[in-house]
């Protein structure tokens, strides 16, 4: 499967639209009617009940995040379980197995879904969920430009500083992004976002961490680049809970990476703990 193809299908293209019936204009091949494409996916494809909007959107956000994480080649570990599933590894495994059973994960013929990748339908679902997110979420979209652009930034041929610059270029137009700056002569990483409840989208700094030198700063930025699909969610957490809350969350995730044997995160842990100058405005 070519994950870099953004011109692929979007789930819901099979639906017909009947504007005569304004309350449920989307019609599938069996004549079933739905209020929206997301409703058709929720009740028609997933077979879910007509739950409250809050429950429906919360679960579809989890599906969206889980599929994008898998599209980024990541396997379910402690860090993803902490970040996406609230630390509940069994729940994360259940979600993955359920996505596999629904056909959104393909096992590549090995018979082992743990080594599977996002299927063509799964990619179509990602595109649909991204394109149809509610307005209150769309200002902080998952995957922002496209999963392909993110994959290109993460898995492209660039390494080291070339890769950092590439990620900064790709993320330049996003409403949530980590950027490297120099503040008061100190190398710094700043998290900038556009508060989602404001109609006038003025960029706001919600988290800052300063470092003793650029090498230490780049250690953390490299780790952030590996998790670029989570930037919007982390920006939302910092805006709502304050910079200190995000710092604690990131330290937990990085520590989970270290516990899983990802020693590349060790420098990032040290840089955050020893150089932290966090504030939420």
């Amino acid at each position: 499967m070519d994950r870099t193809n953004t011109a692929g299908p979007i789930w819901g293209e099979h639906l017909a639209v009947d504007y005569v019936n304004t309350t449920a204009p989307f019609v599938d091949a069996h004549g079933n009617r739905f209020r929206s494409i997301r409703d058709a996916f929720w009740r028609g494809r997933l077979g879910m009940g007509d739950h409250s909007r809050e429950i429906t959107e919360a679960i579809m956000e989890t599906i969206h995040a889980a599929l994008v994480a898998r599209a980024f080649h990541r396997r379910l570990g402690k860090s993803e379980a902490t970040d996406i599933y609230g630390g509940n590894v069994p729940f994360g495994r259940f979600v993955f197995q359920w996505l596999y059973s629904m056909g959104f994960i393909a096992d590549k013929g090995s018979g082992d879904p743990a080594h599977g990748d996002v299927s063509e339908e799964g990619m179509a679902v990602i595109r649909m969920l991204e394109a149809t997110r509610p307005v209150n979420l769309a200002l902080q979209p998952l995957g922002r430009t496209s999963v392909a652009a993110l994959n290109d930034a993460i898995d492209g041929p660039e390494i080291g500083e070339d890769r950092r610059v590439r990620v900064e270029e790709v993320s330049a137009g996003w409403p949530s992004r980590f950027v490297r700056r120099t503040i008061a002569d100190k190398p710094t990483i700043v998290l900038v976002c556009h508060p989602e409840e404001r109609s006038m989208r003025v960029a706001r700094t919600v988290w800052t961490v300063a470092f003793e030198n650029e090498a230490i700063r780049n250690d953390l930025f490299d780790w952030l680049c590996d998790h670029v699909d989570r930037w919007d969610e982390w920006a939302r957490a910092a805006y709502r809970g304050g910079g200190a809350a995000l710092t604690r969350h990131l330290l937990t995730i990085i520590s989970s990476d270290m516990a899983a044997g990802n020693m590349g995160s060790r420098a990032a842990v040290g840089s955050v703990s020893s150089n932290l100058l966090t504030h939420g405005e």
Side-chain angles (χ1 to χ4, degrees):
M1 186 191 76
D2 181 8
R3 279 183 299 270
T4 65
N5 179 14
T6 56
I10 298 177
W11 193 96
E13 291 178 334
H14 64 287
L15 299 171
V17 181
D18 175 13
Y19 287 109
V20 174
N21 186 327
T22 57
T23 59
F26 293 89
V27 187
D28 66 14
H30 303 288
N32 300 310
R33 288 183 172 272
F34 304 95
R35 295 183 295 272
S36 66
I37 294 177
R38 290 174 80 89
D39 182 45
F41 177 70
W42 178 255
R43 293 194 293 121
R45 178 64 177 88
L46 301 182
M48 296 293 190
D50 197 5
H51 299 294
S52 69
R53 179 183 177 86
E54 291 76 15
I55 292 175
T56 300
E57 295 302 338
I59 294 175
M60 283 203 284
E61 278 292 290
T62 300
I63 294 172
H64 193 177
L67 287 174
V68 171
R70 178 48 61 108
F72 273 67
H73 313 285
R74 291 209 297 273
R75 303 297 179 252
L76 178 64
K78 288 185 177 180
S79 61
E80 281 69 43
T82 298
D83 195 27
I84 300 176
Y85 305 107
N88 192 329
V89 174
F91 175 63
R93 290 172 177 162
F94 168 78
V95 170
F96 173 73
Q97 290 293 334
W98 177 69
L99 292 173
Y100 172 73
S101 72
M102 295 301 294
F104 303 147
I105 303 292
D107 63 13
K108 299 182 180 180
S110 67
D112 184 1
H115 298 291
D117 209 338
V118 179
S119 67
E120 292 294 342
E121 185 184 14
M123 286 300 300
V125 169
I126 289 176
R127 298 185 186 104
M128 181 275 292
L129 291 175
E130 172 69 18
T132 62
R133 293 180 90 210
V135 173
N136 67 312
L137 296 176
L139 294 182
Q140 298 285 343
L142 184 68
R144 191 53 235 169
T145 308
S146 70
V147 175
L150 298 176
N151 271 319
D152 182 54
I154 290 177
D155 299 323
E158 300 89 352
I159 60 174
E161 182 61 18
D162 289 339
R163 177 180 184 244
R164 298 176 198 115
V165 171
R166 174 62 176 153
V167 171
E168 289 176 325
E169 290 174 347
V170 171
S171 64
W174 299 355
S176 301
R177 62 193 185 280
F178 289 91
V179 295
R180 294 180 298 169
R181 292 178 177 168
T182 299
I183 300 177
D185 296 325
K186 283 188 173 293
T188 305
I189 294 177
V190 176
L191 172 57
V192 178
C193 76
H194 297 272
E196 61 191 43
E197 73 275 11
R198 295 186 178 184
S199 58
M200 186 172 182
R201 296 174 59 198
V202 177
R204 182 173 185 178
T205 298
V206 294
W207 185 83
T208 303
V209 56
F211 305 89
E212 295 179 359
N213 57 65
E214 291 187 1
I216 298 176
R217 178 185 65 181
N218 288 340
D219 284 334
L220 179 58
F221 195 74
D222 286 341
W223 183 87
L224 291 170
C225 290
D226 290 336
H227 297 77
V228 69
D229 61 306
R230 301 300 296 161
W231 286 9
D232 66 301
E233 192 64 33
W234 293 345
R236 189 180 298 118
Y239 180 71
R240 293 175 177 173
L246 176 61
T247 296
R248 290 191 296 270
H249 184 64
L250 294 183
L251 282 170
T252 300
I253 299 170
I254 294 171
S255 297
S256 296
D257 272 354
M258 290 183 64
N262 183 5
M263 302 309 292
S265 294
R266 184 176 299 278
V269 172
S271 67
V272 172
S273 61
S274 65
N275 297 281
L276 197 57
L277 293 173
T278 304
H279 65 84
E281 297 182 357

